[in-house]
């Protein structure tokens, strides 16, 4: 009990080092063609994914010089917030370039005109350009600012994204509003929601399995105690991930729920046999010996076979599959150790409470 308590405390500290992050590029080995393709696009095309900001306002508001200049100031500032984000493309660039061309290409005219009539005229000329039309809608109420971004992890990408979003309130003011979108933002939001859902599902799994164990064993005490050897392996799994530098992602987050579902099978076999032995009048020591004699070999065999089955996934060239196989296999083995050593120790520790029989009417009559 002391060894398990100390060990759980140590790995519990390692759990605090875990981070939630998923970087698709790291799913593949360094020499894999998919990873090389990501890096090629990052280097040659300023990023392999996209991030967009959509500026919205009332009808015609994006022809107003002051509004356009505030958007331009936002673009100028946010383009320097991160080296991982490319120079933004927008209708502002077309407008400034068109104004420069109308003034014989003089550099000082590469700017937004000061009067709305000139802006409206330039926009009218630019409407025939398909590329320009992809950055602003026909009634000039919505403008898209487009950038490419390198294949960052979700955590680093979120930091860069938040740094850019912090610039918005400085320049984009009423009646204009700004929202962020794009493949990179969609990925980060998807991971965030799925992560929260998986954490909730793990908590629900833990609660339901505990409840089922209590019903099966017809005792809340037995159910609660029997769940301890199943929770500690999950803590060990997350601690091991923290030590090895693995991150919580869409794959590794599933390990906890799966591991509990697998590990609880052995716990059920052992606790049911122990409880039956006690019901037949055996002492806790005798019931434990009888349980190890009858189901000990079966529990060990099934756990080893299950772990070996998961370990075969470590041969994959897809890193999430390798991590899933390795950490699930290790968790199953640690759950086996918990069932063989921790569960009997807990049952012995709470022996009086677990084996205490309820007094019947006859007992009360005899006592009286």
């Amino acid at each position: 009990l002391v060894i398990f308590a100390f060990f759980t405390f140590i790995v519990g500290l390692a759990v605090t080092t875990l981070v939630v992050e998923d970087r698709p590029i790291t799913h593949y080995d360094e020499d894999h063609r998919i990873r090389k393709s990501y890096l090629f696009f990052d280097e040659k095309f300023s990023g392999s994914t996209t991030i967009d900001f959509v500026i919205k306002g009332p009808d015609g508001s994006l022809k107003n010089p002051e509004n356009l200049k505030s958007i331009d100031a936002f673009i100028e500032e946010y383009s320097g917030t991160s080296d991982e984000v490319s120079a933004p493309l927008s209708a502002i660039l077309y407008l400034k370039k068109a104004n420069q061309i109308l003034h014989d290409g003089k550099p000082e005219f590469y700017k937004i005109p000061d009067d709305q009539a000139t802006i409206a005229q330039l926009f009218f000329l630019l409407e025939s350009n398909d590329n320009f039309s992809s950055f602003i809608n026909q009634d000039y109420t919505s403008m898209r600012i487009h950038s490419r971004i390198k294949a960052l992890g979700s955590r680093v990408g979120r930091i860069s994204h938040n740094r850019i979003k912090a610039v918005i309130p400085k320049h984009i003011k009423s009646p204009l509003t700004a929202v962020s979108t794009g493949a990179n933002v969609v990925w980060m939001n998807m991971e965030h929601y799925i992560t929260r859902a998986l954490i909730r599902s793990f908590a629900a799994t833990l609660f339901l399995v505990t409840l089922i164990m209590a019903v099966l064993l017809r005792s809340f005490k037995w159910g609660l105690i029997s769940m301890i050897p199943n929770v500690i392996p999950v803590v060990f799994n997350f601690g091991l991930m923290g030590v090895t530098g693995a991150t919580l992602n869409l794959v590794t987050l599933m390990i906890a729920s799966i591991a509990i579902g697998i590990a609880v099978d052995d716990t059920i076999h052992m606790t049911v046999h122990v409880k039956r032995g006690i019901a037949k009048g055996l002492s806790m020591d005798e019931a434990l010996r009888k349980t190890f004699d009858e189901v000990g070999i079966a529990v060990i065999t099934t756990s080893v076979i299950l772990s070996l089955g998961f370990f075969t996934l470590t041969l994959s060239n897809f890193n999430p599959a390798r991590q899933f196989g390795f950490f699930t296999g290790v968790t199953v083995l640690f759950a086996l150790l918990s069932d063989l050593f921790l569960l009997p120790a807990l049952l012995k520790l709470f022996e009086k409470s677990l084996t205490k029989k309820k007094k019947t009417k006859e007992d009360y009559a005899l006592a009286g």
Side-chain angles (χ1 to χ4, degrees):
L1 288 172
V2 172
I3 292 173
F4 268 90
F6 176 76
F7 193 66
T8 304
F9 174 74
I10 296 299
V11 297
L13 293 178
V15 172
T16 60
T17 64
L18 272 177
V19 293
V20 179
E21 182 177 25
D22 200 359
R23 190 182 181 195
I25 192 173
T26 60
H27 292 174
Y28 307 93
D29 295 330
E30 292 184 359
D31 59 344
H32 199 283
R33 62 183 182 83
I34 294 179
R35 184 163 184 165
K36 288 181 177 179
S37 298
Y38 267 111
L39 294 176
F40 176 80
F41 271 89
D42 282 349
E43 180 183 356
K44 303 296 184 182
F45 296 92
S46 302
S48 52
T49 184
T50 61
I51 182 171
D52 294 82
F53 287 88
V54 178
I55 312 296
K56 295 183 179 181
D59 287 347
S61 59
L62 296 182
K63 289 183 178 180
N64 183 288
E66 297 303 319
N67 290 339
L68 292 174
K69 288 178 181 179
S70 66
I71 296 173
D72 190 35
F74 163 65
I75 294 173
E76 288 293 328
E77 184 170 351
Y78 115 61
S79 61
T81 56
S82 177
D83 295 334
E84 291 82 12
V85 182
S86 70
L89 299 175
S90 69
I92 298 287
L93 294 178
Y94 287 85
L95 178 63
K96 291 161 69 174
K97 190 64 178 178
N99 187 49
Q100 182 184 20
I101 292 171
L102 285 179
H103 291 85
D104 299 324
K106 296 178 181 179
E108 62 267 26
F109 285 96
Y110 184 71
K111 63 178 184 179
I112 298 170
D114 294 325
D115 61 290
Q116 189 163 335
T118 303
I119 292 173
Q121 182 182 9
L122 291 174
F123 275 157
F124 178 75
L125 294 173
L126 288 167
E127 284 177 356
S128 60
N129 187 302
D130 291 335
N131 290 330
F132 171 79
S133 300
S134 69
F135 289 107
I136 197 165
N137 63 353
Q138 293 182 345
D139 57 3
Y140 295 92
T141 60
S142 180
M143 178 188 294
R144 180 172 68 97
I145 302 169
H146 172 79
S147 293
R148 299 200 68 82
I149 186 170
K150 295 180 180 179
L152 307 172
S154 57
R155 183 174 61 91
V156 178
R158 191 174 293 110
I159 293 172
S160 297
H161 179 238
N162 291 337
R163 192 183 299 128
I164 296 171
K165 286 180 67 176
V167 180
I168 293 176
K170 297 181 182 179
H171 305 287
I172 309 302
K173 303 182 185 299
S174 181
L176 301 179
T177 59
V179 294
S180 57
T181 183
N184 187 262
V185 177
V186 170
W187 171 258
M188 288 187 298
N189 289 337
M190 178 186 70
E191 186 198 55
H192 173 69
Y193 290 125
I194 292 178
T195 299
R196 287 200 306 176
L198 286 172
I199 292 173
R200 287 197 300 267
S201 69
F202 170 67
T205 300
L206 191 61
F207 172 76
L208 288 174
V209 171
T210 304
L211 186 62
I212 292 171
M213 291 288 285
V215 172
L216 176 67
L217 298 171
R218 298 180 182 180
S219 170
F220 181 75
K221 290 180 183 179
W222 277 86
L224 196 60
I225 292 172
S226 63
M227 281 304 297
I228 296 176
N230 297 304
V231 174
I232 289 181
V234 175
V235 177
F236 169 79
N237 166 66
F238 289 138
L240 183 62
M241 288 174 59
V243 170
T244 57
T247 60
L248 284 176
N249 53 50
L250 302 182
V251 176
T252 55
L253 270 169
M254 293 188 293
I255 295 173
S257 297
I258 293 173
I260 281 187
I262 294 172
V264 77
D265 291 349
D266 294 339
T267 308
I268 290 173
H269 282 300
M270 296 192 68
T271 50
V272 168
H273 274 74
V274 171
K275 202 164 186 297
R276 284 177 180 173
I278 291 173
K280 293 178 180 179
L282 299 178
S283 67
M284 181 63 75
D285 288 339
E286 292 170 337
L288 284 170
R289 290 193 189 95
K290 192 171 187 297
T291 297
F292 273 84
D293 288 339
E294 293 181 353
V295 300
I297 297 298
V299 164
I300 294 172
T301 304
T302 54
S303 294
V304 170
I305 291 173
L306 280 170
S307 62
L308 289 175
F310 282 110
F311 283 142
T312 58
L313 292 174
T314 59
L315 302 176
S316 171
N317 61 1
F318 187 57
N319 284 341
R322 283 208 299 259
Q323 289 182 333
F324 178 78
F326 173 74
F327 287 114
T328 306
V330 170
T331 304
V332 170
L333 289 179
F334 192 77
L336 172 63
L337 294 177
S338 295
D339 283 328
L340 295 179
F341 295 97
L342 180 60
L343 179 60
L346 289 170
L347 295 177
K348 283 290 294 179
L349 180 66
F350 297 99
E351 179 178 0
K352 290 183 179 180
S353 175
L354 294 174
T355 58
K356 183 171 64 175
K357 296 181 180 180
K358 293 183 179 180
K359 290 187 177 182
T360 64
K361 292 182 179 179
E362 290 77 8
D363 293 329
Y364 283 111
L366 290 172

